[in-house]
């Protein structure tokens, strides 16, 4: 018979050892657990709780800081997606050369003009020196223009400094984001609210800005925002 | 806030809900990563990518499907997104290293495939070396894991998964709807069967693999010091030891 002082050690070692073998075994099939099984759902909830409880206070603080950055970026993404705007998969590829009017295949003009600014200036009169390569996700054959957002009226979906890609055309849908020309004020980027035969309601996402309407005239609509590059990423 | 309410609020783009979602599930993701033995160069970027992909699936899905369904899927989504992000990255790293060293053999391809399935920190560690860590467990260990896994019924796999995640026995008994001691008995039976199967597998494989597996099993305790003295000695001990499962350790 072995000395008693080893019995406890042996027991503990055996427990640990068998867990190791169990772990190796389930490593091959763990992901096959049926998520519809109520017991597995309880397990996953337990695991998430246990992982949270295991955090030390320093880790917890670091997680909170990351959570805030995550929430800010995801909020912009979710809100923009609901309004039909997708996030660009990568940074814009910018080319710089001067061109009067002539548009090259696969290149989108990016004039030096904020979408909330530019009283009385015509978008198309600007000679363009910056171009962005059209991302592959978008169909060619459309006319596009890229514009820089200024102002905070579309927070939190769009921030000042973001670049939006606008599909040019006068077709407007409710719950999309359009760039329109506001008589007497210039170009604005806004969400489309109620549509009637005579007017288009344009609303800001930032509650500090009032909703207004513009006459429903094709000449006042530049186009619909389909993609954006966030300045914060 | 329940998970269902959380998903609903996230769909409306609520900052608070998105923050809460991250706080709720980032630690879980960190645990998955630790268990799989994946090192993250930039944890914030990795966690953001995985949880961000989950949020988008939940938000898009809940606008179409029933909400209860999408909530039940949260954990499945997280696991899938985790696998895609970390383990696929690991596989492509392994592939790159493989190209660099020009070491291509059919055995290594098997190992690469298994990297997706295997998430055990222990098995990854046991296979040793930086390249092996990137490629997952060695083929011999992966085959042992697959053999043992094939032995399990769905209920046993479920129970072992819980056990290997350090869920207390009382919780397990509750989830199974049986008593505490009944659960202990069920577990110890499963464990002895695994131990037995592991020994049988070791005895059936080639000498080179056997050496590696004996090393692993000795470290992990699947076979005790008394049972195997060396890789060569295992064949001799086979007859006497396998006959009485558990050998020197006895049963729990």
């Amino acid at each position: 018979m072995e000395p008693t002082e080893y019995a406890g050690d042996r027991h503990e070692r055996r427990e640990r050892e068998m867990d190791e073998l169990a772990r190796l075994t389930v490593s091959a099939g763990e992901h096959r657990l049926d998520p519809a099984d109520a017991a597995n759902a309880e397990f996953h909830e337990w695991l998430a709780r246990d992982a949270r409880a295991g955090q030390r206070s320093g880790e917890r603080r670091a997680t909170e800081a990351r959570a805030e950055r995550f929430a800010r970026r995801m909020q912009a993404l979710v809100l923009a997606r609901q309004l039909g705007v997708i996030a660009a998969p990568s940074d814009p590829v910018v080319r710089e050369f001067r061109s009067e009017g002539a548009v090259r295949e696969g290149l989108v003009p990016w004039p030096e003009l904020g979408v909330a600014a530019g009283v009385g200036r015509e978008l198309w009169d600007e000679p363009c020196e910056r171009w962005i390569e059209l991302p592959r996700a978008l169909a060619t054959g459309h006319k596009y223009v890229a514009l820089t957002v200024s102002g905070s009226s579309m927070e939190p979906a769009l921030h000042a400094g973001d670049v939006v890609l606008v599909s040019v055309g006068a077709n407007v849908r409710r719950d999309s984001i359009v760039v329109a020309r506001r008589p007497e004020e210039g170009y604005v980027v806004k969400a489309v609210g109620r549509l009637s035969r005579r007017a288009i309601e344009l609303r800001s996402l930032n509650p500090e800005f009032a909703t207004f309407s513009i006459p429903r005239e094709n000449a006042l609509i530049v186009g619909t925002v389909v993609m954006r590059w966030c300045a914060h990423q | 806030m329940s998970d269902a309410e959380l998903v609903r609020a996230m769909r409306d783009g609520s900052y608070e809900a998105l923050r809460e979602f991250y706080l709720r599930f980032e630690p879980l993701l960190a645990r998955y990563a630790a268990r799989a033995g994946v090192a993250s160069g930039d944890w914030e970027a990795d966690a953001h990518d995985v949880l961000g992909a989950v949020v988008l699936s939940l938000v898009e899905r809940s606008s179409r499907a029933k909400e209860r369904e999408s909530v039940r899927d949260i954990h499945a989504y997280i696991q899938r997104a985790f696998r895609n992000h970390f383990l696929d990255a690991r596989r492509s790293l392994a592939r790159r290293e493989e190209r660099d060293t020009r070491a291509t053999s059919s055995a290594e391809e098997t190992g690469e495939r298994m990297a997706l399935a295997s998430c055990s920190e222990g098995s990854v560690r046991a296979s040793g070396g930086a390249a092996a860590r990137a490629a997952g467990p060695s083929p011999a260990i992966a085959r042992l894991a697959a053999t043992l896994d094939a032995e399990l019924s769905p209920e046993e796999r479920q129970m072992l998964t819980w056990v290997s995640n350090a869920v207390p026995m009382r919780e397990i008994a509750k989830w199974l709807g049986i008593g505490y001691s009944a659960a202990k008995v069920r577990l110890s039976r499963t464990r002895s069967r695994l131990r037995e199967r592991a020994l049988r597998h070791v005895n059936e494989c080639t000498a080179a693999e056997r050496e590696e597996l004996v090393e692993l099993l000795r470290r992990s305790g699947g076979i005790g010091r008394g049972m195997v003295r060396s890789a060569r000695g295992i064949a001799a001990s086979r007859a006497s030891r396998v006959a009485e499962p558990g050998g020197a350790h006895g049963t729990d």
Side-chain angles (χ1 to χ4, degrees):
Chain A
M1 185 151 177
E2 289 182 29
T4 20
E5 62 245 51
Y6 292 129
D9 292 350
R10 207 175 63 234
H11 179 73
E12 196 195 305
R13 187 165 64 93
R14 205 187 316 147
E15 292 273 295
R16 210 185 54 230
E17 287 162 352
M18 280 321 296
D19 282 348
E20 191 70 16
L21 197 58
R23 223 158 112 157
L24 174 64
T25 308
V26 295
S27 68
E30 196 166 353
H31 61 288
R32 296 211 306 262
L33 287 188
D34 178 12
D37 185 326
N40 283 330
E42 283 199 65
F43 162 62
H44 284 120
E45 270 159 38
W46 180 89
L47 201 61
R49 260 200 319 276
D50 190 58
R52 278 198 298 277
Q55 280 195 314
R56 288 190 299 273
S57 62
E59 292 170 335
R60 174 87 190 161
R61 272 197 300 280
T63 297
E64 276 168 8
R66 285 193 294 269
E68 276 161 27
R69 289 189 286 272
F70 175 84
R72 229 180 354 260
R73 281 165 62 180
M74 289 309 294
Q75 185 185 37
L77 199 64
V78 168
L79 289 176
R81 268 171 100 102
Q82 275 162 5
L83 295 168
V85 180
I86 56 175
S90 53
D91 288 344
V93 182
V94 181
R95 305 272 195 83
E96 297 201 9
F97 58 88
R98 197 179 171 85
S99 163
E100 308 270 352
V103 175
R104 284 212 209 160
E105 181 75 10
L107 287 182
V108 179
W110 180 22
E112 305 260 354
L113 188 69
V115 262
V119 184
R121 287 157 88 193
E122 277 301 329
L123 206 51
W124 316 114
D125 296 345
E126 300 280 317
C128 185
E129 298 183 358
R130 284 188 306 179
W131 307 76
I132 291 179
E133 280 186 19
L134 186 67
R136 275 196 213 114
L138 295 173
T140 51
H142 279 284
K143 197 174 170 191
Y144 294 101
V145 63
L147 294 165
T148 309
V149 177
S150 64
S152 62
S153 72
M154 289 300 273
E155 295 271 4
L158 301 174
H159 326 286
D162 287 2
V163 176
V164 291
L165 194 72
V166 182
S167 171
V168 176
N171 251 340
V172 286
R173 268 181 309 106
R174 197 183 169 149
D175 290 330
S176 64
I177 297 181
V178 295
V179 172
R181 198 160 53 107
R182 196 176 183 187
E184 311 299 311
E185 197 180 309
Y187 295 101
V188 291
V189 57
K190 290 282 175 281
V192 177
R194 262 203 314 276
L195 286 170
S196 70
R197 224 177 320 153
R198 297 237 180 106
I200 300 172
E201 186 182 71
L202 295 179
R203 60 188 175 89
S204 301
L205 296 184
N206 187 339
E208 290 170 24
F209 292 77
T211 296
F212 59 89
S213 291
I214 58 167
R216 191 159 187 179
E217 288 171 24
N218 286 356
L220 296 181
I221 301 294
V222 175
T224 305
V225 176
V226 290
M227 186 183 266
R228 63 125 191 192
W229 287 273
C230 181
H232 297 89
Q233 286 184 24
Chain B
M1 205 194 289
S2 75
D3 283 354
E5 288 167 333
L6 199 63
V7 172
R8 215 171 305 137
M10 287 198 304
R11 193 170 71 187
D12 296 335
S14 154
Y15 174 87
E16 278 308 313
L18 287 159
R19 183 176 164 278
E20 172 64 23
F21 174 85
Y22 191 92
L23 290 176
R24 219 174 262 196
F25 295 109
E26 194 223 49
L28 180 69
L29 194 63
R31 181 165 292 196
Y32 285 157
R35 258 173 75 73
V38 288
S40 171
D42 181 350
W43 171 247
E44 176 158 9
D46 285 332
H48 182 99
D49 284 352
V50 174
L51 294 177
V54 174
V55 166
L56 290 182
S57 325
L58 286 171
V59 163
E60 295 200 335
R61 200 182 151 78
S62 63
S63 54
R64 292 195 303 266
K66 287 185 203 109
E67 261 175 39
R68 197 188 300 148
E69 234 169 75
S70 68
V71 169
R72 198 181 59 197
D73 287 345
I74 286 186
H75 290 100
Y77 275 131
I78 291 178
Q79 281 178 322
R80 202 175 317 142
F82 165 75
R83 226 176 287 282
N84 288 344
H85 185 83
F86 284 99
L87 302 186
D88 286 356
R90 190 165 73 173
R91 279 192 307 167
S92 64
L93 174 69
R95 232 171 280 145
R96 214 163 36 239
E97 284 183 1
E98 197 176 67
R99 241 200 339 268
D100 291 350
T101 56
R102 285 188 201 153
T104 30
S105 72
S106 59
E108 279 187 11
E109 275 165 30
T110 315
E112 200 175 287
R113 270 203 304 280
M114 288 304 297
L116 186 74
S118 172
C119 298
S120 160
E121 193 189 2
S123 59
V124 172
R125 208 174 42 237
S127 62
R133 207 169 9 259
S138 78
I141 289 169
R143 254 198 299 282
L144 172 64
T147 306
L148 293 178
D149 184 57
E151 187 82 352
L152 296 175
S153 70
E155 292 74 27
E156 287 170 330
R157 181 175 304 117
Q158 191 179 47
M159 189 181 204
L160 282 182
T161 303
W162 298 343
V163 168
S164 70
N165 276 287
V167 179
M169 224 37 222
R170 293 200 185 279
E171 291 285 329
I172 292 179
K174 202 175 79 194
W175 296 341
L176 291 176
I178 58 179
Y180 177 74
S181 31
K184 279 206 91 143
V185 168
R186 201 183 280 190
L187 176 62
S188 82
R189 283 203 190 120
T190 308
R191 283 171 156 176
S192 347
R193 256 189 47 226
L194 272 188
R195 209 176 318 181
E196 222 180 303
R197 188 67 189 88
L199 272 179
R200 214 162 68 224
H201 176 84
V202 170
N203 284 328
E204 282 160 2
C205 59
T206 63
E209 283 189 345
R210 190 177 305 158
E211 194 136 4
E212 189 182 348
L213 292 181
V214 166
E215 181 52 34
L216 167 81
L217 289 181
R218 188 167 352 184
R219 207 173 336 158
S220 72
I223 30 184
R225 213 180 307 244
M227 301 174 70
V228 182
R229 271 172 205 88
S230 70
R232 259 169 264 113
I234 193 166
S237 65
R238 167 186 189 178
S240 58
R241 298 301 177 190
V242 174
E244 38 168 333
H249 285 326
T251 46
D252 289 342

